[in-house]
Amino acid sequence: MSLTDTSRFGVFRTATFRLTLAFVAAIIGGMVLQFVLLFVQMTHFESERSSGILHREADVLVQETPERLEYQVRERASNELRVVINWVGLFDGHYHHIAGDLKAWPEGLTVDGKVHRLTLSPTDDAPYEMRFLAVKVPGGRILVLAHSLHLLSELHYMIRPGALLSVFPVVMFALLTGVVLSHRALARVKTMHEAIDRIMQGDVHERLPAGRERDELERLAGSVNRMLDRLEHLMDEIRDVGNDIAHDLRTPLSRVRARLERATSSPHDADYLNSVIEQATQDLDQCFSVITALLRIGEIENGRRRAGFAYVNLGDLVADIVDLYEPIAETNGLVLTSLVVAAPASDALVTFGDRDLLVEVLANLLDNAMKFTPSDGHVTVSVTPGPGVINLRVADTGIGIPEAEREAVLGRFYRSDKSRHVPGSGLGLSLVMAILRLHGVELAIADGDGTAATRGCAFEMIFQASSSPEPA
């Protein structure tokens, strides 16, 4: 079905129209319930009113003398008997008629002082219901009063057509409103479909019309746009990473090829061939290190290492890593120190994470610090507890990182102008960022502990403290 056919006939299949139908059904159900309650209330009200009239008139007539009562019944001398009471009859103790227009005893009527609703079936008319009251009066006789239900029937007759007539315009108005709203919603969906088609055809810069995100559809479009922005950013990163990988692998592979070609072009002695093989091996190791680092970053960013999380004491971790790197620092003429601030609680330096990955973070940061810090420099690793957090800082007195490049150095394969002479792949800090993101830790780069000429660099991390009494 084409988009035009969808716009023409799909309005009746939209969620808005289906919601309108449900709303119409709810309106009809509410109207039916309203009229049922109205009928019940009217019936109850008329029943109570009729019972009150019969009891009130009976109480008055019971006080009359037998002669006066018979006269009242025979002649309908009072206004109530003429207007309010439809039928009245006076019977003896054996239910024989004495006076009044009610000639025969109603079938099913008992003399108990209660109002009874009975159906009469006259020979020349259709059956109808009336309310009867039979009471004993002086002289051993029985007075029967009857009140018809014609008023209730008339009310029902008037309300029923009105109820049926009111349903039709309400339903039509609701349906028309549903069609209009559905058409508007479908038009917006059509615009989004067209934008999605353009995106699928390769226009990755296209976005859905989100407006001000005032309703659910616009908020959904806004979320999709943010997802597309993220996907475009990731695609750009993948393209850049691919270019960087090709650039970084091309140089060592070209060197390997050139050396091997020179080695095979003419006879050489064994020492020369061994040196060529050794240099080729080093270049290939550099290629493998790049590939291994990329695979490592991908594995960490996929979140597969969270299964190895446990409670880690950062104070003990820093002490272990500093003991490991201290001989290397002395060999390079550097002073490596650790500063672990004492905490009042025994678990104030405990966080939840993967110990091996955190060791890798500190190892990369210390490698960078010692690599870019000249002899007689200082490298300091400090751990400081805070309210609910742990501050971990690795600072040096090396060449530092310019403020304009501090965000860029966290990307893959980025090499600062100051560091291009130092061997490396440019993936160390990318690996650090991947591990810290896995732990939910933000990394900030600031000035180090150096002088004005060589301020150095400081990597500052804030971990969430855990309350485990048994740190791992």
Side-chain angles (χ1 to χ4, degrees):
M1 182 179 289
S2 66
L3 191 59
T4 305
D5 295 334
T6 303
S7 301
R8 186 179 305 167
F9 304 107
V11 65
F12 300 106
R13 295 192 295 269
T14 61
T16 307
F17 189 76
R18 290 197 296 269
L19 184 61
T20 301
L21 291 180
F23 184 64
V24 169
I27 289 178
I28 295 175
M31 294 180 66
V32 170
L33 179 61
Q34 179 183 3
F35 287 119
V36 167
L37 293 177
L38 180 61
F39 284 152
V40 171
Q41 187 68 19
M42 289 172 53
T43 302
H44 177 73
F45 174 77
E46 181 61 20
S47 175
E48 294 294 324
R49 191 180 73 88
S50 177
S51 299
I53 291 174
L54 292 174
H55 279 291
R56 188 167 56 252
E57 189 63 23
D59 291 341
V60 173
L61 294 176
V62 166
Q63 306 299 324
E64 300 288 349
T65 62
E67 294 78 10
R68 178 65 181 172
L69 176 60
E70 184 175 343
Y71 172 77
Q72 292 269 11
V73 172
R74 193 183 304 275
E75 303 296 334
R76 294 233 182 175
S78 65
N79 291 333
E80 288 78 3
L81 289 178
R82 286 198 307 271
V83 179
V84 179
I85 303 300
N86 299 103
W87 280 0
V88 61
L90 190 60
F91 297 85
D92 61 16
H94 299 288
Y95 308 127
H96 296 142
H97 180 261
I98 297 176
D101 47 10
L102 184 60
K103 306 298 183 181
W105 184 267
E107 183 178 357
L109 181 62
T110 57
V111 186
D112 55 3
K114 298 179 180 180
V115 176
H116 296 270
R117 186 169 179 173
L118 303 177
T119 300
L120 301 182
S121 303
T123 55
D124 56 348
D125 201 354
Y128 56 90
E129 289 186 338
M130 295 190 70
R131 297 176 64 81
F132 291 87
L133 175 64
V135 294
K136 292 182 178 181
V137 295
R141 295 179 293 180
I142 301 173
L143 176 66
V144 179
L145 303 176
H147 187 269
S148 70
L149 301 176
H150 68 279
L151 181 59
L152 181 62
S153 300
E154 290 176 357
L155 291 174
H156 288 178
Y157 178 77
M158 289 186 295
I159 291 177
R160 190 179 298 111
L164 295 177
L165 289 176
S166 63
V167 170
F168 180 76
V170 170
V171 171
M172 293 305 298
F173 177 77
L175 289 176
L176 180 62
T177 303
V179 170
V180 173
L181 294 178
S182 300
H183 187 271
R184 291 184 57 189
L186 195 61
R188 296 167 65 188
V189 172
K190 175 185 175 183
T191 305
M192 292 184 180
H193 273 301
E194 293 173 348
I196 292 173
D197 289 339
R198 289 192 292 270
I199 294 172
M200 294 177 63
Q201 291 171 3
D203 187 1
V204 295
H205 301 293
E206 180 67 31
R207 293 295 179 266
L208 304 184
R212 299 181 180 178
E213 299 189 16
R214 292 168 296 185
D215 57 17
E216 291 77 8
L217 196 59
E218 289 185 349
R219 284 194 287 271
L220 176 61
S223 299
V224 173
N225 288 339
R226 288 187 287 274
M227 179 186 68
L228 292 173
D229 292 338
R230 178 61 177 165
L231 290 176
E232 184 179 0
H233 177 69
L234 293 176
M235 290 173 60
D236 292 339
E237 282 190 349
I238 292 174
R239 182 175 60 252
D240 295 339
V241 167
N243 296 334
D244 293 335
I245 292 174
H247 181 270
D248 276 42
L249 296 183
R250 181 178 180 179
T251 301
L253 291 177
S254 298
R255 287 200 300 265
V256 170
R257 179 182 176 85
R259 291 192 182 103
L260 293 177
E261 286 179 347
R262 286 197 300 270
T264 58
S265 62
S266 59
H268 295 282
D269 56 18
D271 292 337
Y272 177 78
L273 293 177
N274 288 333
S275 66
V276 169
I277 293 173
E278 182 179 357
Q279 291 173 347
T281 302
Q282 292 176 356
D283 290 333
L284 291 177
D285 286 341
Q286 181 181 352
C287 296
F288 285 133
S289 67
V290 171
I291 296 173
T292 303
L294 289 173
L295 293 176
R296 180 87 167 137
I297 292 173
E299 177 189 2
I300 294 172
E301 288 182 341
N302 285 336
R304 297 174 183 171
R305 290 297 302 266
R306 292 192 66 88
F309 275 33
Y311 292 105
V312 181
N313 191 306
L314 293 182
D316 297 341
L317 182 65
V318 167
D320 293 341
I321 199 73
V322 168
D323 289 341
L324 179 64
Y325 273 82
E326 199 167 15
I328 303 175
E330 291 179 359
T331 302
N332 295 334
L334 302 175
V335 177
L336 176 60
T337 58
S338 63
L339 175 61
V340 179
V341 178
S346 59
D347 60 350
L349 298 179
V350 174
T351 190
F352 192 69
D354 189 312
R355 180 182 176 86
D356 294 335
L357 293 180
L358 295 178
V359 167
E360 196 165 350
V361 168
L362 287 177
N364 274 281
L365 294 179
L366 286 176
D367 280 337
N368 278 346
M370 290 188 292
K371 189 185 300 183
F372 298 110
T373 301
S375 299
D376 298 330
H378 292 78
V379 178
T380 305
V381 184
S382 60
V383 183
T384 307
V389 297
I390 306 169
N391 300 292
L392 177 60
R393 185 174 182 266
V394 178
D396 59 58
T397 58
I399 60 177
I401 301 176
E403 291 188 13
E405 298 182 3
R406 289 177 181 177
E407 186 70 24
V409 295
L410 301 178
R412 299 179 184 180
F413 296 106
Y414 184 85
R415 302 294 301 277
S416 175
D417 293 336
K418 296 181 180 180
S419 62
R420 293 193 182 276
H421 63 284
V422 181
S425 62
L427 291 173
L429 291 181
S430 298
L431 181 60
V432 168
M433 282 301 300
I435 296 174
L436 293 180
R437 276 195 295 265
L438 182 67
H439 288 75
V441 177
E442 294 291 335
L443 175 65
I445 302 178
D447 291 334
D449 301 332
T451 61
T454 55
R455 293 184 177 180
C457 182
F459 292 88
E460 300 173 348
M461 296 152 281
I462 300 178
F463 290 81
Q464 294 295 320
S466 299
S467 57
S468 172
E470 299 179 357

